[in-house]
mmCIF file of all heavy atoms in Angstrom:
data_model
loop_
_atom_site.group_PDB
_atom_site.id
_atom_site.type_symbol
_atom_site.label_atom_id
_atom_site.label_comp_id
_atom_site.label_asym_id
_atom_site.label_seq_id
_atom_site.Cartn_x
_atom_site.Cartn_y
_atom_site.Cartn_z
ATOM 1 N N VAL A 36 -17.710 -3.975 -23.581
ATOM 2 C CA VAL A 36 -16.535 -4.747 -23.188
ATOM 3 C C VAL A 36 -15.321 -3.846 -23.356
ATOM 4 O O VAL A 36 -15.158 -3.207 -24.389
ATOM 5 C CB VAL A 36 -16.378 -6.012 -24.063
ATOM 6 C CG1 VAL A 36 -15.074 -6.730 -23.743
ATOM 7 C CG2 VAL A 36 -17.560 -6.944 -23.870
ATOM 8 N N ARG A 37 -14.473 -3.792 -22.341
ATOM 9 C CA ARG A 37 -13.277 -2.941 -22.379
ATOM 10 C C ARG A 37 -12.061 -3.749 -21.928
ATOM 11 O O ARG A 37 -12.176 -4.656 -21.107
ATOM 12 C CB ARG A 37 -13.424 -1.747 -21.429
ATOM 13 C CG ARG A 37 -14.545 -0.783 -21.713
ATOM 14 C CD ARG A 37 -14.194 0.324 -22.672
ATOM 15 N NE ARG A 37 -13.075 1.155 -22.259
ATOM 16 C CZ ARG A 37 -13.190 2.275 -21.558
ATOM 17 N NH1 ARG A 37 -14.373 2.712 -21.160
ATOM 18 N NH2 ARG A 37 -12.120 2.982 -21.257
ATOM 19 N N LEU A 38 -10.918 -3.382 -22.453
ATOM 20 C CA LEU A 38 -9.646 -3.892 -21.976
ATOM 21 C C LEU A 38 -8.991 -2.752 -21.211
ATOM 22 O O LEU A 38 -8.605 -1.739 -21.802
ATOM 23 C CB LEU A 38 -8.756 -4.344 -23.138
ATOM 24 C CG LEU A 38 -7.390 -4.889 -22.743
ATOM 25 C CD1 LEU A 38 -7.528 -6.150 -21.897
ATOM 26 C CD2 LEU A 38 -6.556 -5.174 -23.993
ATOM 27 N N LEU A 39 -8.908 -2.902 -19.900
ATOM 28 C CA LEU A 39 -8.416 -1.822 -19.040
ATOM 29 C C LEU A 39 -6.945 -2.024 -18.709
ATOM 30 O O LEU A 39 -6.525 -3.115 -18.322
ATOM 31 C CB LEU A 39 -9.219 -1.768 -17.740
ATOM 32 C CG LEU A 39 -10.730 -1.642 -17.869
ATOM 33 C CD1 LEU A 39 -11.370 -1.596 -16.489
ATOM 34 C CD2 LEU A 39 -11.105 -0.419 -18.690
ATOM 35 N N GLU A 40 -6.188 -0.967 -18.835
ATOM 36 C CA GLU A 40 -4.778 -0.960 -18.458
ATOM 37 C C GLU A 40 -4.696 -0.650 -16.969
ATOM 38 O O GLU A 40 -5.312 0.295 -16.493
ATOM 39 C CB GLU A 40 -4.038 0.105 -19.266
ATOM 40 C CG GLU A 40 -2.607 0.308 -18.866
ATOM 41 C CD GLU A 40 -1.764 -0.939 -19.017
ATOM 42 O OE1 GLU A 40 -1.568 -1.394 -20.154
ATOM 43 O OE2 GLU A 40 -1.297 -1.442 -17.973
ATOM 44 N N THR A 41 -3.954 -1.463 -16.216
ATOM 45 C CA THR A 41 -3.840 -1.240 -14.775
ATOM 46 C C THR A 41 -2.559 -0.502 -14.393
ATOM 47 O O THR A 41 -2.475 0.047 -13.301
ATOM 48 C CB THR A 41 -3.851 -2.573 -14.004
ATOM 49 O OG1 THR A 41 -2.661 -3.311 -14.336
ATOM 50 C CG2 THR A 41 -5.097 -3.383 -14.315
ATOM 51 N N HIS A 42 -1.571 -0.526 -15.259
ATOM 52 C CA HIS A 42 -0.236 0.000 -14.966
ATOM 53 C C HIS A 42 0.404 -0.740 -13.800
ATOM 54 O O HIS A 42 1.314 -0.225 -13.156
ATOM 55 C CB HIS A 42 -0.252 1.509 -14.721
ATOM 56 C CG HIS A 42 -0.748 2.278 -15.890
ATOM 57 N ND1 HIS A 42 -0.063 2.359 -17.084
ATOM 58 C CD2 HIS A 42 -1.890 2.983 -16.073
ATOM 59 C CE1 HIS A 42 -0.754 3.074 -17.931
ATOM 60 N NE2 HIS A 42 -1.858 3.460 -17.355
ATOM 61 N N VAL A 43 -0.078 -1.964 -13.533
ATOM 62 C CA VAL A 43 0.532 -2.822 -12.522
ATOM 63 C C VAL A 43 1.392 -3.846 -13.264
ATOM 64 O O VAL A 43 0.922 -4.518 -14.177
ATOM 65 C CB VAL A 43 -0.536 -3.554 -11.672
ATOM 66 C CG1 VAL A 43 0.097 -4.660 -10.835
ATOM 67 C CG2 VAL A 43 -1.276 -2.568 -10.788
ATOM 68 N N ALA A 44 2.650 -3.914 -12.882
ATOM 69 C CA ALA A 44 3.555 -4.916 -13.435
ATOM 70 C C ALA A 44 4.176 -5.681 -12.273
ATOM 71 O O ALA A 44 4.519 -5.092 -11.250
ATOM 72 C CB ALA A 44 4.627 -4.247 -14.288
ATOM 73 N N VAL A 45 4.267 -6.982 -12.442
ATOM 74 C CA VAL A 45 4.835 -7.834 -11.398
ATOM 75 C C VAL A 45 5.884 -8.736 -12.022
ATOM 76 O O VAL A 45 5.910 -8.941 -13.236
ATOM 77 C CB VAL A 45 3.756 -8.684 -10.690
ATOM 78 C CG1 VAL A 45 2.781 -7.809 -9.935
ATOM 79 C CG2 VAL A 45 3.015 -9.583 -11.671
ATOM 80 N N SER A 46 6.729 -9.264 -11.194
ATOM 81 C CA SER A 46 7.713 -10.238 -11.617
ATOM 82 C C SER A 46 7.465 -11.486 -10.776
ATOM 83 O O SER A 46 7.558 -11.441 -9.547
ATOM 84 C CB SER A 46 9.115 -9.688 -11.397
ATOM 85 O OG SER A 46 10.055 -10.501 -12.015
ATOM 86 N N ILE A 47 7.108 -12.564 -11.444
ATOM 87 C CA ILE A 47 6.732 -13.809 -10.760
ATOM 88 C C ILE A 47 7.840 -14.827 -10.998
ATOM 89 O O ILE A 47 8.247 -15.054 -12.138
ATOM 90 C CB ILE A 47 5.384 -14.332 -11.292
ATOM 91 C CG1 ILE A 47 4.292 -13.288 -11.038
ATOM 92 C CG2 ILE A 47 5.038 -15.670 -10.651
ATOM 93 C CD1 ILE A 47 2.959 -13.595 -11.706
ATOM 94 N N ARG A 48 8.307 -15.439 -9.939
ATOM 95 C CA ARG A 48 9.428 -16.373 -10.068
ATOM 96 C C ARG A 48 9.009 -17.625 -10.829
ATOM 97 O O ARG A 48 7.835 -17.998 -10.843
ATOM 98 C CB ARG A 48 10.002 -16.734 -8.703
ATOM 99 C CG ARG A 48 9.117 -17.602 -7.839
ATOM 100 C CD ARG A 48 9.826 -17.957 -6.525
ATOM 101 N NE ARG A 48 8.926 -18.589 -5.612
ATOM 102 C CZ ARG A 48 8.634 -19.888 -5.611
ATOM 103 N NH1 ARG A 48 9.178 -20.687 -6.493
ATOM 104 N NH2 ARG A 48 7.791 -20.393 -4.737
ATOM 105 N N GLU A 49 9.980 -18.259 -11.456
ATOM 106 C CA GLU A 49 9.737 -19.511 -12.161
ATOM 107 C C GLU A 49 9.216 -20.544 -11.170
ATOM 108 O O GLU A 49 9.659 -20.599 -10.019
ATOM 109 C CB GLU A 49 11.029 -20.013 -12.809
ATOM 110 C CG GLU A 49 10.789 -21.171 -13.731
ATOM 111 C CD GLU A 49 12.024 -21.579 -14.492
ATOM 112 O OE1 GLU A 49 12.931 -20.735 -14.678
ATOM 113 O OE2 GLU A 49 12.081 -22.738 -14.906
ATOM 114 N N GLY A 50 8.246 -21.337 -11.585
ATOM 115 C CA GLY A 50 7.620 -22.320 -10.701
ATOM 116 C C GLY A 50 6.340 -21.803 -10.073
ATOM 117 O O GLY A 50 5.687 -22.510 -9.319
ATOM 118 N N CYS A 51 5.995 -20.548 -10.375
ATOM 119 C CA CYS A 51 4.749 -19.954 -9.880
ATOM 120 C C CYS A 51 4.027 -19.283 -11.042
ATOM 121 O O CYS A 51 4.612 -19.053 -12.098
ATOM 122 C CB CYS A 51 5.027 -18.900 -8.805
ATOM 123 S SG CYS A 51 5.661 -19.537 -7.258
#
Side-chain angles (χ1 to χ4, degrees):
V36 174
R37 298 272 302 268
L38 180 63
L39 305 180
E40 174 60 66
T41 66
H42 300 293
V43 168
V45 295
S46 191
I47 300 171
R48 70 177 171 84
E49 189 174 336
C51 291

